[in-house]
Amino acid sequence: MSEDSHSSGSEDAGGGQTVADVIIAELVRWGVGVVFGIPGTSSLGVIDAVRKHPEIRFFQVRHEETAAMAASAYHKLTGRVAACVTIAGPGATNLATGLYDAKEDRASVISLNGQVEAQYAGPGGFQEIDQDAFFRPVTVYNNTLHEKTMAVRLVDAAMRHAIVHRGVAQLSIPNDVQKEVVDPACCAAEGMPPSREIAPSNAGIDRAAEAVNRAERPVIIAGWGARDAIPAVRAIAERIAAPILTTFRAKGLIPGDDPWHLGILGSVGSAQARRRAEEADLLLAFGVGFSKQTNVPGGKPLVQVDLDPIKLGRHAETVSLWGDCGLVLPRLLERLERREDGARKEAVARDRAAWRAQIDREADADAVPIRPPFIMQVLSKILPDDAVITVDVGENGWWFGRNFRMRPGQKFAMSGYLATMGFAMPAAIAAKIAYPDRPAVCITGDGGFSMAMAEFLTAVKYDLPMTVVVLNNHELGMIRVEQRVENYPNFGTELHNPDFAAYARTCGGEGFSVERPAELAPAIVNALESGRPAIVDVETDPKRF
């Protein structure tokens, strides 16, 4: 580390660097360049250090939960670490949902939190909670800085844990400690962690290849963990004549025109994909999380590749390969026997055509209120090839997973395992910050959007052009369905909504109202071309399910 590694932090009025300055400079050294948060009494030193540092940007949000969600989405989209910052007590507790999203989806996030000057002083403390205890269940690293000379060491430990363990690292900094002057030379820094590239032995790959070569009906399931190995996934499919299914989160990783691609396996997937998985005599699970929504058929022999060893050995008959798909799959490909099976490829093509025909039939271009499948059909045709799409949880997410056709070059982010409503709007902010030259599109429902709609003001404030498509059915539509499935009467799901288009204009953005199918495409195009944050409020059918 060079002599001036910490010198980029600004000096205080007394001529020295504060602990907060040193912390922010060290985060910058680790590559953190974006902070989401809200200033407050116990975090003023940290906020001022961010203000003074030229290589880090601060985005003020309207709620701490969305700060954490934006930081989580930023990592999901880019692989880079972002930070969220807030005050002690209520600010810290408000982060919880967004940080749990990062925990469940293995997104690396740094959470910096102010803390009161004298911790745990007893009853009557103002905004004082035991933050070490509060954050313990959600973090891979969790600490409070009490001694100023430990500032850099704790930041290094937090970053190391967040990156290596792919999770949330939390550091609380008491208000008085933030402001103390410290000589950076007293704060020894650690080196960066080594490469996390992991690969199994040749013997393990040989066992996997033997299992694949023996199989008569192999099927590939590609998950998010295979995102850096897509060429190898496609080459393996071609080599062994195997259909490729993906998880919902891996939607779009395999090009739609790949001759072996059959779409998503799971609750939003096709009957054809489910049948292929059920009929397989071997499943090749590449970076698959095995969520309940994917519902990988149990009891079948597996060849499983994953960077997380805890996920390996999911079935009794499993060849487990602990490693990075990007390293493992090319080596596996070299050992696989080529099989020619034109009939199987033709059968996969028929299955794919049948599924696409069903999706097209569902998109009734004449129905009023507008059907969600038609909305997804229009969005599939109009959204640019380089669009970065964020998707909320609820009925809108279900239709996106089922009916939206992604194209090569498009990216999308979602709240996966936690499946928290309100994710799409802060994620769209993160998307536009991460990719300023690409269109950002938020697909959400009226329930999810109303949980985070104040962040539309954030988009306007920071001039972050994006298109927010609200599927407005005046219901918590998915909950209505779940009540019906479980034989409960419909109750508590109706939503009293504002005019979302008028709200957009009131905030300083653009707003478009859509009630009839012919109005949808022009509204989407106008929103995309407006160059401003825009809401397209689409009246949809609450009874479509």
Side-chain angles (χ1 to χ4, degrees):
M1 190 172 176
S2 62
E3 285 184 355
D4 61 349
S5 293
H6 305 301
S7 64
S8 56
S10 301
E11 297 182 352
D12 75 345
Q17 285 187 305
T18 67
V19 168
D21 291 331
V22 169
I23 287 172
I24 296 306
E26 186 65 2
L27 286 177
V28 170
R29 185 179 78 92
W30 279 85
V32 177
V34 175
V35 178
F36 302 96
I38 301 176
T41 301
S42 57
S43 66
L44 293 182
V46 173
I47 294 294
D48 194 57
V50 173
R51 177 189 66 82
K52 293 183 292 185
H53 202 292
E55 297 178 45
I56 197 165
R57 294 182 293 167
F58 176 73
F59 294 90
Q60 177 211 58
V61 296
R62 295 304 181 101
H63 195 282
E64 293 89 353
E65 176 185 337
T66 58
M69 286 184 181
S72 177
Y74 190 86
H75 185 267
K76 292 178 188 180
L77 288 165
T78 68
R80 301 193 298 272
V81 181
C84 51
V85 61
T86 186
I87 63 168
T93 59
N94 280 346
L95 290 172
T97 300
L99 294 183
Y100 261 100
D101 173 79
K103 168 187 166 65
E104 294 298 315
D105 284 354
R106 307 300 296 272
S108 300
V109 168
I110 294 294
S111 178
L112 295 179
N113 303 290
Q115 181 56 286
V116 298
E117 293 184 4
Q119 281 186 281
Y120 324 131
F126 182 70
Q127 292 187 329
E128 179 179 8
I129 66 169
D130 185 346
Q131 288 178 195
D132 287 344
F134 178 79
F135 285 111
R136 193 168 296 127
V138 72
T139 53
V140 295
Y141 181 85
N142 182 38
N143 214 328
T144 297
L145 176 62
H146 296 291
E147 165 53 45
K148 66 181 182 180
T149 60
M150 294 295 292
V152 170
R153 182 156 299 193
L154 293 192
V155 171
D156 290 350
M159 287 297 302
R160 185 182 301 276
H161 281 77
I163 292 169
V164 173
H165 295 297
R166 296 183 295 158
V168 177
Q170 189 276 144
L171 188 59
S172 291
I173 312 144
N175 195 16
D176 53 338
V177 176
Q178 294 173 36
K179 302 168 185 175
E180 291 182 17
V181 176
V182 63
D183 181 356
C186 297
C187 304
E190 299 178 357
M192 301 294 179
S195 166
R196 296 180 64 248
E197 294 182 340
I198 298 172
S201 66
N202 286 330
I205 295 179
D206 287 340
R207 286 194 300 272
E210 290 171 9
V212 177
N213 290 333
R214 287 196 308 268
E216 296 181 359
R217 298 179 306 280
V219 170
I220 297 169
I221 308 173
W224 179 245
R227 61 191 179 277
D228 295 326
I230 297 307
V233 173
R234 299 177 68 189
I236 289 173
E238 184 66 31
R239 176 76 56 90
I240 66 174
I244 307 173
L245 318 177
T246 74
T247 62
F248 187 176
R249 194 176 176 195
K251 178 182 175 70
L253 293 182
I254 306 296
D257 60 355
D258 187 287
W260 293 103
H261 186 215
L262 262 182
I264 294 175
L265 175 67
S267 58
V268 301
S270 68
Q272 292 85 351
R274 174 58 55 188
R275 176 170 53 80
R276 291 286 177 176
E278 296 287 355
E279 292 177 352
D281 62 350
L282 177 70
L283 296 174
L284 285 69
F286 299 151
V288 174
F290 285 79
S291 77
K292 181 180 178 181
Q293 297 301 315
T294 304
N295 192 19
V296 175
K300 289 187 176 294
L302 283 176
V303 168
Q304 192 179 356
V305 183
D306 207 285
L307 196 56
D308 184 353
I310 297 298
K311 293 181 179 178
L312 294 172
R314 295 299 299 237
H315 296 172
E317 245 187 288
T318 303
V319 179
S320 297
L321 300 178
W322 178 21
D324 186 330
C325 286
L327 296 178
V328 177
L329 298 190
R331 292 171 60 194
L332 177 61
L333 174 64
E334 294 173 353
R335 293 163 168 81
L336 298 181
E337 298 172 359
R338 181 174 295 279
R339 63 183 80 178
E340 301 294 341
D341 196 336
R344 189 170 173 85
K345 180 179 283 190
E346 290 175 4
V348 170
R350 288 194 298 271
D351 282 351
R352 184 170 58 252
W355 174 239
R356 289 186 174 182
Q358 180 177 338
I359 294 299
D360 289 339
R361 286 194 300 271
E362 292 176 0
D364 186 344
D366 298 317
V368 178
I370 301 171
R371 289 187 170 186
F374 176 75
I375 298 172
M376 296 304 159
Q377 183 185 70
V378 171
L379 290 173
S380 298
K381 294 177 180 178
I382 290 178
L383 296 191
D385 290 348
D386 60 344
V388 184
I389 305 164
T390 63
V391 182
D392 222 315
V393 171
E395 188 177 339
N396 63 95
W398 196 90
W399 290 115
F400 175 86
R402 176 184 172 83
N403 293 70
F404 185 86
R405 294 181 184 172
M406 290 191 70
R407 294 198 295 276
Q410 293 177 337
K411 298 173 70 79
F412 97 99
M414 63 185 293
S415 176
Y417 283 100
L418 188 63
T420 180
M421 293 174 65
F423 175 84
M425 184 64 218
I429 290 172
K432 195 61 185 177
I433 292 168
Y435 302 103
D437 297 327
R438 298 176 64 170
V441 180
C442 167
I443 299 176
T444 183
D446 47 349
F449 179 67
S450 59
M451 289 185 178
M453 61 191 290
E455 300 307 339
F456 189 79
L457 286 162
T458 304
V460 173
K461 174 180 178 178
Y462 291 104
D463 190 21
L464 301 173
M466 63 182 62
T467 297
V468 181
V469 182
V470 180
L471 277 67
N472 186 355
N473 60 13
H474 306 273
E475 286 263 11
L476 296 173
M478 190 65 77
I479 308 304
R480 175 192 177 106
V481 174
E482 291 167 350
Q483 287 177 335
R484 183 171 182 176
V485 168
E486 297 192 32
N487 296 313
Y488 289 108
N490 180 228
F491 178 77
T493 63
E494 302 87 355
L495 296 176
H496 178 70
N497 292 330
D499 182 334
F500 290 120
Y503 169 76
R505 293 188 290 271
T506 299
C507 292
E510 298 286 349
F512 305 89
S513 298
V514 175
E515 296 183 355
R516 307 192 67 81
E519 300 168 352
L520 180 59
I524 299 294
V525 170
N526 288 336
L528 289 168
E529 294 179 350
S530 70
R532 303 173 67 187
I535 293 176
V536 181
D537 182 3
V538 188
E539 287 285 330
T540 66
D541 185 355
K543 301 177 181 179
R544 177 64 184 104
F545 270 101

